[in-house]
Amino acid sequence: MISFKNKKIVIVGASSGIGKAIASIVSVQGAIIYLVSRSKEKLLKVQEELPGESHVFSMDMLDDDSVNQTFAAIGSFDFLTFTAVADETKLMTPIKTMSNETAQRGMEKFWGTFNVARAASNYINKDGAMVFTSSMAIYRPSKNGASMMNAASAAVAVFSKALALEIAPVRINIVAPGVVATGVWTEDQKKGYKDWAAKTLPVGHLGSAEELANAYLSLLTNPYMTGSVVTVDGGLTLV
Ligand SMILES: NC(=O)c1ccc[n+]([C@@H]2O[C@H](COP(=O)([O-])OP(=O)(O)OC[C@H]3O[C@@H](n4cnc5c(N)ncnc54)[C@H](OP(=O)(O)O)[C@@H]3O)[C@@H](O)[C@H]2O)c1
């Protein structure tokens, strides 16, 4: 397996949740980390806790100038993880009353993935790898107003698979998370999901950011994996 020692890793969505957990793990393993999200303040707090070398870049994934400038400033790199999303769960709306604006915001995750993948493709080393983020809901969509959120995740999965062919030998894989205790949920929602997971999921507990982070890192470092969608959902697709 490939080591992270002295490898450059760009983490888009590093200020919270899965991205923050990825940063903690690879910092201990000697990676050179580029922490990326909108909030410089939040990223500096994450940086304070990292033992190794890291650099902070404030970037809006929806602004292609901001994305292109960030990747030009970072230059060549080896690995990338992308977990950025904003207001995803707040935008859940029944189709009968969904506004155009809400529908378009529901696809932000896809457009962020597109902007980042386009810029990153120009700078990633040939033996590098990227992991983008879908959702287990592409296999089991929910009926609670998440139609656009689910569609964005499906778009990310197919787009990423196409890139795995187009920019090979760079490897591209996709993680499809289940319910995970991160910034997409409020503290009350996390409490509710904790009880639900204990009763419902085969693994008997709610997913943690660290458990997800390990799946992303495994995909980055396995030289025989590309174009795969890996579900990490505690067995939710089975129940
Ligand atoms: N958690 C779950 O239960 C769950 C379930 C299924 C799928 N997922 C998927 O997992 C991903 C979310 O990861 P997470 O759970 O770790 O979420 P999170 O804790 O909410 O983190 C989201 C990150 O995205 C950054 N971000 C938001 N808007 C941005 C923008 N315009 N440009 C750049 N960065 C931006 C945020 O930082 P700033 O505020 O600093 O920009 C933050 O670092 C999404 O793709 C989501 O669909 C999550």
Side-chain angles (χ1 to χ4, degrees), residues 12-19 36-39 42 59-62 83-86 88 109 133-135 153 177-185 216:
V12 183
S15 69
S16 175
I18 302 166
V36 182
S37 78
R38 291 167 305 178
S39 167
K42 286 198 249 169
M59 180 196 90
D60 182 351
M61 67 175 178
L62 301 174
T83 52
V85 80
E88 189 180 40
K109 162 171 153 170
T133 305
S134 181
S135 167
S153 285
V179 187
V180 188
T182 69
V184 302
W185 306 111
Y216 286 73

Side-chain angles (χ1 to χ4, degrees), residues 93-217:
T93 312
I95 190 67
K96 287 182 183 173
T97 54
M98 191 184 294
S99 67
N100 288 349
E101 193 201 345
T102 301
Q104 274 161 11
R105 286 215 59 203
M107 292 304 286
E108 282 179 357
K109 162 171 153 170
F110 172 72
W111 286 113
T113 300
F114 166 78
N115 282 332
V116 165
R118 181 173 58 181
S121 298
N122 289 296
Y123 294 98
I124 190 163
N125 292 327
K126 280 198 168 56
D127 57 355
M130 303 196 256
V131 179
F132 293 101
T133 305
S134 181
S135 167
M136 59 70 67
I138 65 171
Y139 303 118
R140 210 184 122 183
S142 42
K143 58 180 178 184
N144 53 355
S147 55
M148 289 308 291
M149 180 170 128
N150 295 170
S153 285
V156 167
V158 178
F159 172 75
S160 304
K161 284 188 179 205
L163 292 191
L165 287 170
E166 191 180 320
I167 65 165
V170 171
R171 292 179 300 103
I172 303 190
N173 291 289
I174 304 105
V175 170
V179 187
V180 188
T182 69
V184 302
W185 306 111
T186 63
E187 290 310 312
D188 278 351
Q189 285 172 322
K190 282 185 216 170
K191 271 184 210 145
Y193 274 126
K194 199 176 164 194
D195 296 341
W196 164 84
K199 288 181 207 134
T200 315
L201 293 181
V203 297
H205 72 272
L206 181 58
S208 71
E210 292 68 28
E211 287 168 325
L212 267 290
N214 280 309
Y216 286 73
L217 299 180

